[in-house]
């Protein structure tokens, strides 16, 4: 983890962004105290397509109040094995 003052971060922002994207933890300090950590954002999820909706409809499982998650997953897995 690297720490940089606000003034240094202003002068080296592009470099610090690149380092953050490469996985380095970068902290910005004010008067010697950490105040901000730069963090890379995850890419946005892709949009839902009509094919995705068809797949969901085909794999929909009827769930009752007595059904637990393990049972639901087992049903989905069993249907895909056929």
């Amino acid at each position: 983890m690297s720490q940089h003052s606000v003034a240094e971060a202003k002068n080296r922002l592009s470099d610090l962004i690149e380092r953050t994207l490469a996985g380095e933890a970068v902290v910005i300090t004010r008067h010697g105290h950490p105040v901000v950590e730069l963090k890379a954002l995850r890419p946005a999820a892709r949009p839902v397509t009509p094919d995705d909706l068809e797949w969901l409809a085909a794999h929909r499982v009827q769930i009752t109040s007595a059904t637990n998650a393990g049972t639901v997953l087992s049903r989905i897995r069993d249907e895909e094995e056929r």
Side-chain angles (χ1 to χ4, degrees):
M1 174 177 69
S2 63
Q3 292 190 0
H4 307 273
S5 69
V6 172
E8 181 183 0
K10 282 173 44 178
N11 294 329
R12 300 184 54 206
L13 185 57
S14 293
D15 175 54
L16 296 178
I17 289 172
E18 289 303 317
R19 291 166 64 179
T20 301
L21 292 173
E24 182 179 335
V26 175
V27 174
I28 299 173
T29 62
R30 180 180 285 157
H31 306 296
H33 300 287
V35 291
V36 175
E37 180 177 5
L38 294 181
K39 178 180 171 184
L41 298 177
R42 288 190 260 166
R46 67 175 177 78
V48 176
T49 66
D51 289 339
D52 295 331
L53 296 176
E54 283 182 32
W55 185 91
L56 286 171
H59 292 85
R60 183 171 292 151
V61 177
Q62 294 296 333
I63 299 174
T64 65
S65 60
T67 305
N68 65 35
T71 303
V72 171
L73 292 174
S74 293
R75 286 184 196 169
I76 292 170
R77 181 197 61 228
D78 294 343
E79 286 179 10
E80 288 180 349
E81 289 178 355
R82 291 183 208 169

